[in-house]
Amino acid sequence: MEEGLHNLESEALTSLGDIRERKALEAWYRSYLGKKGAITEMLRGLGRLPAEERPRAGQTIHRVKERLESAYRGRQKEIEDIGQLSESVDITLPGRPIGPGCLHLSTKVLREIYAVFAQMGFQIYEAPDVETDELNFELLNMPPYHPARDMWDTFWVSDKVLLRTHTSPGQIRAMREFYPEPIRVILPGKCYRYEQITARSEHQFFQVEGLAIGHNITLTDLKGTMIFAARQLFGAERKVRFRGSYFPFTEPSVEVDMDCILCEGQGCRVCKHSGWLEIAGAGMVHPVVLENGGYDPSQWTGFAFGLGVERPAMLKHNIDDIRHFYRNDLRFLRQFG
Ligand code: PHE
């Protein structure tokens, strides 16, 4: 009998382990521990045993019965847990699609600008974001304590190292690399200024610097370049004007304005009722800067400009807050995908 009981127990435990749902579990209970179950039958059969064997056999059957009952309760709990899990996770729901990524609006606008200047033979020249005071200021004709430095509130990394406040230090780098060849490059990149962040100004933004150095380059070339770029980027009917300005590294210096694309020059909120929008600072490369780059100012002339990226993008896409560019909000970014 003992051997039969042992086999019964191991068979019962094995089949219990395979059970995954409540119905099968109840059937299992009935077949072993129910009123007509195998264990119950065995207990009933005790009466047929000789009286002296009954207590020992009874004890053995009871122990098996207890073990099976506790295994049953354990499995019951496991099945309930699984049940709860499958109720909260509906495995029949379709998955959440992961869409393809897209280019950031700034990247798209930068690429449009590259394409426009590529048509005029400008190649891309990149310079580092972390610059020296020497390149960002000194070699651009701003010695230490020059008051014009106040035009660029600066993030300093150390006494002599800073985050470039404009892409103009790339002019010196390009000149030193290209000398003695003529130059026609654009220098795109991030600039940083220690400024209050508002809807109109960020402390990080993109600029595209332009630099052309040659033997007969004049202000007219700068003007033609600016007009062509404005018309390519904002429409063939654009008007461009130059306003006298000041930068230590250009002489003469100008601000480049384009007629407002929203009101067509009539005057609106965006152009502050002037009809004009500023798109770049520019000018003829200052002789001191040419010299610092290695070019003899009696032989060479050149023009340079610094074009904003986010502001024109805002105009084109009717974006009212520059901070959207750096918020990483996918709902904003996807609109331009
Ligand atoms: N670097 C100037 C600025 O950021 C713009 C500029 C570039 C002006 C090149 C003249 C020539 O304000």
Side-chain angles (χ1 to χ4, degrees):
M1 190 209 78
E2 295 229 356
E3 204 190 312
L5 191 62
H6 183 74
N7 288 343
L8 185 74
E9 181 182 1
S10 60
E11 172 204 303
L13 290 175
T14 314
S15 63
L16 184 68
D18 292 338
I19 288 172
R20 299 255 170 279
E21 36 115 48
R22 190 167 306 169
K23 261 198 179 149
L25 185 70
E26 295 314 324
W28 179 92
Y29 189 88
R30 276 196 302 279
S31 73
Y32 293 102
L33 300 164
K35 269 189 207 138
K36 290 179 187 153
I39 299 291
T40 322
E41 291 291 327
M42 281 182 119
L43 283 170
R44 261 191 217 121
L46 277 177
R48 290 194 293 275
L49 287 179
E52 66 277 15
E53 284 179 26
R54 274 180 220 157
R56 221 179 88 85
Q59 264 177 9
T60 316
I61 300 172
H62 270 293
R63 253 182 254 125
V64 171
K65 188 180 175 198
E66 269 160 29
R67 283 201 291 271
L68 289 184
E69 264 168 359
S70 110
Y72 164 79
R73 283 191 299 274
R75 190 68 194 152
Q76 191 176 39
K77 170 114 183 33
E78 282 168 12
I79 288 173
E80 268 168 28
D81 289 349
I82 294 169
Q84 262 164 17
L85 196 68
S86 57
E87 267 160 40
S88 61
V89 179
D90 182 349
I91 57 165
T92 66
L93 276 177
R96 289 188 195 129
I98 299 170
C102 61
L103 292 178
H104 192 283
L105 178 57
S106 301
T107 308
K108 290 183 83 164
V109 175
L110 277 170
R111 290 188 182 182
E112 280 171 35
I113 296 173
Y114 300 162
V116 168
F117 284 97
Q119 290 180 62
M120 294 184 274
F122 284 81
Q123 70 187 88
I124 296 173
Y125 182 86
E126 296 205 68
D129 292 31
V130 180
E131 252 315 349
T132 57
D133 176 84
E134 192 186 15
L135 279 144
N136 196 84
F137 290 125
E138 283 175 42
L139 296 172
L140 293 175
N141 207 17
M142 281 178 277
Y145 306 108
H146 191 290
R149 287 179 172 226
D150 283 354
M151 290 164 73
W152 297 275
D153 294 312
T154 309
F155 283 113
W156 294 93
V157 175
S158 69
D159 272 1
K160 292 277 165 212
V161 180
L162 45 78
L163 299 183
R164 65 175 166 199
T165 58
H166 49 180
T167 40
S168 302
Q171 289 185 29
I172 303 282
R173 289 180 179 272
M175 284 190 257
R176 290 185 171 176
E177 188 162 330
F178 283 88
Y179 183 82
E181 301 296 328
I183 301 179
R184 213 184 285 179
V185 293
I186 49 171
L187 305 106
K190 201 62 133 358
C191 303
Y192 308 83
R193 290 188 195 166
Y194 186 35
E195 279 174 12
Q196 179 87 26
I197 299 174
T198 67
R200 296 274 307 148
S201 73
E202 250 288 353
H203 63 220
Q204 49 177 342
F205 53 89
F206 281 100
Q207 268 191 352
V208 176
E209 188 92 3
L211 177 70
I213 307 276
H215 287 298
N216 290 302
I217 292 179
T218 67
L219 197 68
T220 314
D221 297 308
L222 172 61
K223 197 159 188 180
T225 306
M226 291 291 100
I227 292 171
F228 179 81
R231 291 187 177 164
Q232 288 281 308
L233 291 165
F234 295 99
E237 66 286 1
R238 290 281 71 81
K239 291 193 202 82
V240 170
R241 75 172 184 188
F242 277 15
R243 245 179 321 115
S245 185
Y246 172 75
F247 298 103
F249 35 91
T250 45
E251 182 59 36
S253 300
V254 294
E255 305 268 359
V256 186
D257 293 344
M258 159 181 97
D259 61 330
C260 179
I261 54 172
L262 298 179
C263 63
E264 307 274 338
Q266 295 306 300
C268 68
R269 193 180 55 85
V270 172
C271 62
K272 301 206 185 85
H273 303 283
S274 68
W276 295 95
L277 296 164
E278 188 189 314
I279 56 168
M284 299 307 290
V285 181
H286 197 288
V288 167
V289 176
L290 281 173
E291 217 160 87
N292 289 340
Y295 286 78
D296 177 355
S298 67
Q299 305 290 315
W300 301 86
T301 55
F303 68 71
F305 58 84
L307 205 68
V309 173
E310 286 89 350
R311 296 246 175 96
M314 288 168 76
L315 288 170
K316 226 174 161 171
H317 298 283
N318 216 348
I319 297 163
D320 60 1
D321 194 326
I322 196 167
R323 291 170 289 196
H324 286 308
F325 285 84
Y326 297 98
R327 250 181 212 150
N328 292 332
D329 185 335
L330 289 178
R331 291 167 305 176
F332 171 77
L333 298 173
R334 281 203 185 107
Q335 296 176 77
F336 312 101

